[in-house]
Amino acid sequence: MKIKLIVILIFILILIPFSGCAKSSNKVIDVVTFQPLDYDVSLFSDAKSDHNRNLYIDAIIELKAKYPTAFKNVQTGEMTKEEAARLSEIEETTLIISKNGQTVSRLSGDQDKSKIVNTLEKFVEK
């Protein structure tokens, strides 16, 4: 009886992180930001765009290997879709590069990794 109770408790403790206590993926946007030179780079993605997010992240990692000092302050976080909508119309994975609050480049959705790398490299190298 005691062993059965312990097994049930362990099972419950394992399930808690995967239950309703976890974040609702349809209302949360993942955000990655960094500031190479005088630019602000932000990558916004939601759970529905895993493939695209992985392409953008791979491009960022590739450039980090080439320009490590430009990626010293990479930060990750989350925001609600409503907060992201106030920043800009973000419907899928979106990379926004801005300077002094003005968008200077924007990529969105399905892109070739090389295009993502080339776009970012313009604002990282100098």
Side-chain angles (χ1 to χ4, degrees):
M1 180 72 173
K2 213 174 194 179
I3 294 175
K4 193 173 184 180
L5 181 61
I6 292 172
V7 169
I8 291 171
L9 287 173
I10 291 172
F11 183 72
I12 290 171
L13 290 173
I14 291 172
L15 281 181
I16 287 175
F18 301 105
S19 69
C21 296
K23 72 179 183 180
S24 173
S25 62
N26 63 348
K27 295 187 185 252
V28 176
I29 300 285
D30 294 321
V31 182
V32 176
T33 60
F34 56 97
Q35 291 76 35
L37 304 174
D38 293 332
Y39 297 94
D40 293 312
V41 179
S42 299
L43 174 64
F44 302 90
S45 62
D46 64 11
K48 291 186 239 174
S49 49
D50 277 341
H51 172 70
N52 287 339
R53 175 181 47 219
N54 291 341
L55 281 174
Y56 284 80
I57 294 293
D58 284 349
I60 290 170
I61 290 170
E62 185 176 312
L63 281 175
K64 184 177 184 341
K66 193 171 180 180
Y67 305 101
T69 57
F71 293 85
K72 285 184 180 176
N73 297 318
V74 175
Q75 298 177 358
T76 60
E78 296 175 343
M79 66 174 49
T80 65
K81 285 187 177 183
E82 292 79 22
E83 290 172 318
R86 279 184 247 137
L87 292 174
S88 183
E89 293 178 20
I90 296 172
E91 298 174 9
E92 54 192 330
T93 303
T94 303
L95 179 76
I96 297 175
I97 302 168
S98 59
K99 185 172 185 175
N100 300 324
Q102 299 295 316
T103 300
V104 294
S105 186
R106 177 187 176 117
L107 288 177
S108 191
D110 203 12
Q111 301 285 337
D112 285 342
K113 182 179 166 185
S114 61
K115 182 174 182 178
I116 300 167
V117 168
N118 291 337
T119 299
L120 282 169
E121 197 163 29
K122 292 175 195 173
F123 303 100
V124 172
E125 68 175 356
K126 286 191 182 180

Short mmCIF file of all heavy atoms in Angstrom, two decimals, residues 75-99:
data_model
loop_
_atom_site.label_atom_id
_atom_site.label_comp_id
_atom_site.label_asym_id
_atom_site.label_seq_id
_atom_site.Cartn_x
_atom_site.Cartn_y
_atom_site.Cartn_z
N GLN A 75 19.61 37.84 -25.28
CA GLN A 75 18.62 37.61 -24.23
C GLN A 75 17.43 36.88 -24.83
O GLN A 75 17.07 37.10 -25.99
CB GLN A 75 18.16 38.93 -23.63
CG GLN A 75 19.28 39.69 -22.97
CD GLN A 75 18.81 41.04 -22.44
OE1 GLN A 75 17.65 41.41 -22.61
NE2 GLN A 75 19.69 41.77 -21.81
N THR A 76 16.84 36.02 -24.03
CA THR A 76 15.62 35.34 -24.45
C THR A 76 14.51 35.65 -23.47
O THR A 76 14.77 35.96 -22.31
CB THR A 76 15.82 33.81 -24.52
OG1 THR A 76 16.19 33.34 -23.22
CG2 THR A 76 16.89 33.44 -25.52
N GLY A 77 13.31 35.60 -23.93
CA GLY A 77 12.17 35.87 -23.07
C GLY A 77 10.88 35.50 -23.76
O GLY A 77 10.88 34.84 -24.80
N GLU A 78 9.80 35.93 -23.16
CA GLU A 78 8.48 35.67 -23.71
C GLU A 78 7.64 36.92 -23.60
O GLU A 78 7.89 37.78 -22.76
CB GLU A 78 7.77 34.56 -22.92
CG GLU A 78 8.44 33.22 -22.98
CD GLU A 78 7.74 32.21 -22.08
OE1 GLU A 78 6.95 32.61 -21.19
OE2 GLU A 78 7.99 31.02 -22.27
N MET A 79 6.65 37.02 -24.46
CA MET A 79 5.65 38.08 -24.34
C MET A 79 4.35 37.51 -24.90
O MET A 79 4.37 36.53 -25.63
CB MET A 79 6.06 39.35 -25.07
CG MET A 79 6.17 39.25 -26.56
SD MET A 79 6.51 40.81 -27.42
CE MET A 79 7.86 41.49 -26.54
N THR A 80 3.26 38.13 -24.55
CA THR A 80 1.99 37.67 -25.08
C THR A 80 1.86 38.11 -26.53
O THR A 80 2.53 39.05 -26.97
CB THR A 80 0.80 38.24 -24.28
OG1 THR A 80 0.77 39.65 -24.43
CG2 THR A 80 0.91 37.86 -22.81
N LYS A 81 0.99 37.46 -27.26
CA LYS A 81 0.76 37.83 -28.65
C LYS A 81 0.22 39.26 -28.74
O LYS A 81 0.52 39.98 -29.68
CB LYS A 81 -0.20 36.86 -29.32
CG LYS A 81 0.44 35.54 -29.64
CD LYS A 81 -0.48 34.66 -30.46
CE LYS A 81 0.24 33.38 -30.82
NZ LYS A 81 -0.57 32.52 -31.67
N GLU A 82 -0.54 39.67 -27.74
CA GLU A 82 -1.07 41.03 -27.72
C GLU A 82 0.06 42.05 -27.60
O GLU A 82 0.06 43.07 -28.27
CB GLU A 82 -2.07 41.22 -26.57
CG GLU A 82 -3.36 40.44 -26.75
CD GLU A 82 -3.23 38.96 -26.40
OE1 GLU A 82 -2.31 38.57 -25.64
OE2 GLU A 82 -4.06 38.18 -26.89
N GLU A 83 1.04 41.77 -26.72
CA GLU A 83 2.19 42.67 -26.59
C GLU A 83 2.98 42.74 -27.89
O GLU A 83 3.39 43.81 -28.32
CB GLU A 83 3.11 42.20 -25.45
CG GLU A 83 2.54 42.36 -24.08
CD GLU A 83 3.41 41.69 -23.02
OE1 GLU A 83 3.90 40.57 -23.25
OE2 GLU A 83 3.59 42.31 -21.96
N ALA A 84 3.18 41.60 -28.53
CA ALA A 84 3.92 41.55 -29.79
C ALA A 84 3.17 42.30 -30.88
O ALA A 84 3.78 42.99 -31.69
CB ALA A 84 4.17 40.10 -30.21
N ALA A 85 1.85 42.19 -30.89
CA ALA A 85 1.05 42.88 -31.90
C ALA A 85 1.18 44.39 -31.76
O ALA A 85 1.14 45.11 -32.75
CB ALA A 85 -0.41 42.46 -31.79
N ARG A 86 1.37 44.87 -30.53
CA ARG A 86 1.55 46.31 -30.34
C ARG A 86 2.88 46.77 -30.90
O ARG A 86 3.02 47.91 -31.35
CB ARG A 86 1.44 46.67 -28.86
CG ARG A 86 0.01 46.79 -28.40
CD ARG A 86 -0.08 47.23 -26.97
NE ARG A 86 -0.63 46.08 -26.26
CZ ARG A 86 -0.21 45.62 -25.10
NH1 ARG A 86 0.76 46.21 -24.46
NH2 ARG A 86 -0.77 44.59 -24.55
N LEU A 87 3.88 45.90 -30.88
CA LEU A 87 5.19 46.27 -31.43
C LEU A 87 5.16 46.33 -32.95
O LEU A 87 5.72 47.21 -33.56
CB LEU A 87 6.25 45.25 -31.00
CG LEU A 87 6.61 45.22 -29.52
CD1 LEU A 87 7.56 44.07 -29.26
CD2 LEU A 87 7.24 46.53 -29.10
N SER A 88 4.54 45.36 -33.53
CA SER A 88 4.51 45.25 -34.98
C SER A 88 3.58 44.10 -35.33
O SER A 88 3.27 43.27 -34.49
CB SER A 88 5.91 44.95 -35.50
OG SER A 88 5.93 44.89 -36.88
N GLU A 89 3.14 44.06 -36.56
CA GLU A 89 2.28 42.96 -36.96
C GLU A 89 3.11 41.70 -37.09
O GLU A 89 3.83 41.50 -38.06
CB GLU A 89 1.61 43.28 -38.29
CG GLU A 89 0.63 44.42 -38.18
CD GLU A 89 0.00 44.75 -39.52
OE1 GLU A 89 0.02 43.90 -40.43
OE2 GLU A 89 -0.51 45.86 -39.64
N ILE A 90 2.99 40.83 -36.10
CA ILE A 90 3.77 39.60 -36.07
C ILE A 90 2.81 38.43 -36.11
O ILE A 90 2.07 38.20 -35.17
CB ILE A 90 4.67 39.55 -34.82
CG1 ILE A 90 5.66 40.69 -34.88
CG2 ILE A 90 5.35 38.20 -34.70
CD1 ILE A 90 6.47 40.88 -33.65
N GLU A 91 2.80 37.72 -37.23
CA GLU A 91 1.89 36.60 -37.39
C GLU A 91 2.64 35.27 -37.41
O GLU A 91 2.06 34.23 -37.21
CB GLU A 91 1.09 36.76 -38.68
CG GLU A 91 0.23 38.00 -38.66
CD GLU A 91 -0.45 38.23 -39.99
OE1 GLU A 91 -0.38 37.36 -40.87
OE2 GLU A 91 -1.07 39.29 -40.15
N GLU A 92 3.92 35.29 -37.68
CA GLU A 92 4.73 34.09 -37.74
C GLU A 92 6.14 34.47 -37.31
O GLU A 92 6.35 35.54 -36.78
CB GLU A 92 4.72 33.52 -39.16
CG GLU A 92 5.13 34.53 -40.21
CD GLU A 92 4.84 34.04 -41.62
OE1 GLU A 92 4.88 32.82 -41.85
OE2 GLU A 92 4.59 34.87 -42.48
N THR A 93 7.10 33.60 -37.51
CA THR A 93 8.46 33.92 -37.14
C THR A 93 8.88 35.19 -37.88
O THR A 93 8.78 35.28 -39.09
CB THR A 93 9.41 32.77 -37.49
OG1 THR A 93 8.95 31.59 -36.82
CG2 THR A 93 10.83 33.08 -37.07
N THR A 94 9.34 36.18 -37.11
CA THR A 94 9.69 37.48 -37.67
C THR A 94 10.99 37.98 -37.06
O THR A 94 11.14 37.98 -35.85
CB THR A 94 8.57 38.51 -37.42
OG1 THR A 94 7.35 38.02 -37.98
CG2 THR A 94 8.91 39.86 -38.04
N LEU A 95 11.90 38.42 -37.88
CA LEU A 95 13.16 39.02 -37.46
C LEU A 95 13.09 40.50 -37.79
O LEU A 95 12.85 40.87 -38.95
CB LEU A 95 14.33 38.38 -38.19
CG LEU A 95 15.71 38.93 -37.86
CD1 LEU A 95 16.17 38.42 -36.50
CD2 LEU A 95 16.71 38.54 -38.93
N ILE A 96 13.25 41.34 -36.77
CA ILE A 96 13.20 42.79 -36.98
C ILE A 96 14.53 43.39 -36.53
O ILE A 96 14.99 43.14 -35.42
CB ILE A 96 12.05 43.44 -36.19
CG1 ILE A 96 10.70 42.90 -36.69
CG2 ILE A 96 12.09 44.96 -36.32
CD1 ILE A 96 9.51 43.39 -35.91
N ILE A 97 15.15 44.17 -37.42
CA ILE A 97 16.38 44.88 -37.11
C ILE A 97 16.04 46.36 -37.12
O ILE A 97 15.52 46.87 -38.11
CB ILE A 97 17.49 44.55 -38.11
CG1 ILE A 97 17.75 43.04 -38.13
CG2 ILE A 97 18.77 45.33 -37.79
CD1 ILE A 97 18.60 42.55 -39.25
N SER A 98 16.32 47.02 -36.01
CA SER A 98 15.98 48.44 -35.92
C SER A 98 17.15 49.25 -35.38
O SER A 98 18.08 48.70 -34.79
CB SER A 98 14.74 48.65 -35.03
OG SER A 98 14.97 48.13 -33.74
N LYS A 99 17.09 50.54 -35.63
CA LYS A 99 18.10 51.47 -35.12
C LYS A 99 17.36 52.73 -34.70
O LYS A 99 16.57 53.27 -35.48
CB LYS A 99 19.14 51.79 -36.19
CG LYS A 99 20.27 52.66 -35.69
CD LYS A 99 21.37 52.78 -36.73
CE LYS A 99 22.54 53.55 -36.15
NZ LYS A 99 23.66 53.59 -37.05
#
